[in-house]
């Protein structure tokens, strides 16, 4: 089932909808569940709420695989609000962005996660907590698995926007303490760029990130999606793949 509730992201003082997927029998099953935190919650479950009219189809997938809880706050839709929230770094791109991703993650880890753990039957430990997102949400997921590795053991980083901040990403991974059991799914699409040179740059960046994480001890699944574009329809096709890698132990 999909529920929503309103919360306040305290660093910004803004009310925000949180999308929550729960097994239908979560109140009577007598078990606890792993939890995945995701970005852009409005794009995940229903076409009617998705920004561009196509969602990830996560309701149908989770209904068929009721093995974890999914928590997904909606993004900021005002101006560059999403870019600022979902960037851990200041960027020259987009006309200049002051990234507040660190503040957002402090809220997610320090306020939202404890609230979820207190109100739902979660398995709150690191081994059962993961994070995921696409584009800038993919960048945030990559940031979370490095800077907050003591909280998250898995990350699904779909088309992460690392091209805007490779120096920051290199430093983040270099300085990170990557604990045993860390799993990172990182993808990019063949058609995310308009030309072969752009695809080559995407691929080089993605593989550099994957190699750096692997060298730190993470189990990494790099995935080039043939015919994949930078859109929800392409990311939806990857749901079974990253889910099996993060939760099924496969590759």
């Amino acid at each position: 089932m999909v529920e929503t509730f309103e919360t306040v992201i305290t660093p910004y003082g803004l009310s925000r909808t949180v999308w929550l997927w729960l097994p239908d029998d979560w109140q009577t099953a007598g078990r606890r569940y792993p939890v995945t935190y995701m970005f852009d919650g409005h794009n995940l479950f229903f076409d009617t709420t998705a920004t561009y009219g196509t969602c990830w189809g996560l309701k149908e997938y989770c209904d068929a695989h009721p093995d974890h809880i999914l928590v997904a706050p909606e993004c900021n839709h005002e101006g560059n609000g999403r870019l600022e929230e979902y960037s851990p770094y200041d960027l020259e791109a987009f006309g200049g962005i002051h990234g507040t991703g660190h503040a957002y993650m402090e809220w997610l880890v320090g306020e939202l996660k404890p609230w979820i753990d207190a109100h739902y039957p979660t398995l709150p430990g690191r081994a059962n907590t993961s994070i995921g997102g696409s584009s800038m949400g993919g960048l945030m997921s990559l940031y979370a698995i490095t800077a907050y590795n003591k909280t998250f053991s898995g990350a699904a980083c779909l088309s992460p926007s690392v091209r805007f901040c490779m120096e920051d990403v290199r430093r983040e991974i270099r300085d990170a303490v990557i604990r045993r059991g860390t799993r990172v799914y990182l993808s990019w699409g063949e058609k995310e760029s308009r030309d072969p040179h752009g695809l080559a740059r995407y691929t080089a960046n993605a593989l550099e990130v994957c190699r750096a994480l692997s060298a730190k001890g993470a189990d990494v699944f790099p995935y080039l999606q043939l015919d994949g574009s930078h859109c929800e329809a392409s990311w939806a096709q990857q749901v079974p793949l990253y889910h099996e890698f993060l939760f099924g132990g496969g590759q």
Side-chain angles (χ1 to χ4, degrees):
M1 70 175 66
V2 177
E3 298 182 355
T4 61
F5 65 88
E6 296 297 311
T7 190
V8 174
I9 302 183
T10 51
Y12 312 129
L14 297 175
S15 179
R16 196 69 52 80
T17 300
V18 178
W19 298 78
L20 183 69
W21 186 90
L22 296 157
D24 287 340
D25 62 349
W26 69 272
Q27 292 176 299
T28 59
R31 59 168 292 194
R32 292 186 172 271
Y33 300 89
V35 182
T36 301
Y37 293 86
M38 297 191 73
F39 299 92
D40 296 309
H42 56 291
N43 286 335
L44 302 182
F45 301 104
F46 303 108
D47 290 344
T48 53
T49 62
T51 301
Y52 299 107
T54 300
C55 73
W56 288 35
L58 275 176
K59 181 184 184 303
E60 290 75 16
Y61 186 85
C62 291
D63 285 348
H65 303 82
D67 52 6
H68 71 299
I69 292 171
L70 199 156
V71 182
E74 188 168 9
C75 76
N76 188 329
H77 297 283
E78 299 295 325
N80 283 337
R82 177 179 181 274
L83 299 174
E84 293 170 354
E85 283 186 5
Y86 287 3
S87 177
Y89 319 111
D90 291 340
L91 304 177
E92 295 181 3
F94 311 110
I97 293 296
H98 173 56
T100 62
H102 174 74
Y104 184 96
M105 286 304 306
E106 287 289 294
W107 167 78
L108 191 152
V109 169
E111 296 184 46
L112 180 61
K113 182 181 184 302
W115 190 91
I116 292 293
D117 290 336
H119 289 82
Y120 297 97
T122 68
L123 292 166
R126 174 184 180 274
N128 292 290
T129 307
S130 59
I131 195 163
S134 61
S135 191
M136 294 299 289
L139 173 63
M140 283 288 282
S141 300
L142 179 61
Y143 172 67
I145 201 65
T146 52
Y148 294 84
N149 194 259
K150 65 181 180 181
T151 300
F152 302 100
S153 63
C157 310
L158 283 68
S159 303
S161 299
V162 297
R163 65 191 181 279
F164 302 122
C165 50
M166 276 300 293
E167 286 300 321
D168 294 298
V169 170
R170 291 185 185 106
R171 183 187 68 251
E172 202 74 63
I173 297 174
R174 184 190 66 228
D175 296 343
V177 176
I178 303 295
R179 292 158 179 80
R180 180 178 297 180
T182 297
R183 298 173 72 81
V184 182
Y185 172 97
L186 193 149
S187 71
W188 65 107
E190 180 186 19
K191 295 183 177 178
E192 290 195 52
S193 177
R194 298 177 181 177
D195 60 77
H197 299 290
L199 175 59
R201 288 192 295 271
Y202 272 100
T203 302
N205 287 339
L207 292 180
E208 179 183 346
V209 170
C210 289
R211 284 192 294 267
L213 288 168
S214 182
K216 298 284 287 194
D219 187 3
V220 182
F221 187 174
Y223 178 65
L224 169 59
Q225 185 181 26
L226 299 180
D227 292 324
S229 300
H230 200 83
C231 65
E232 269 68 34
S234 290
W235 299 324
Q237 295 174 12
Q238 298 179 47
V239 169
L241 200 58
Y242 77 69
H243 188 276
E244 173 62 21
F245 177 69
L246 293 181
F247 299 106
Q251 179 168 353

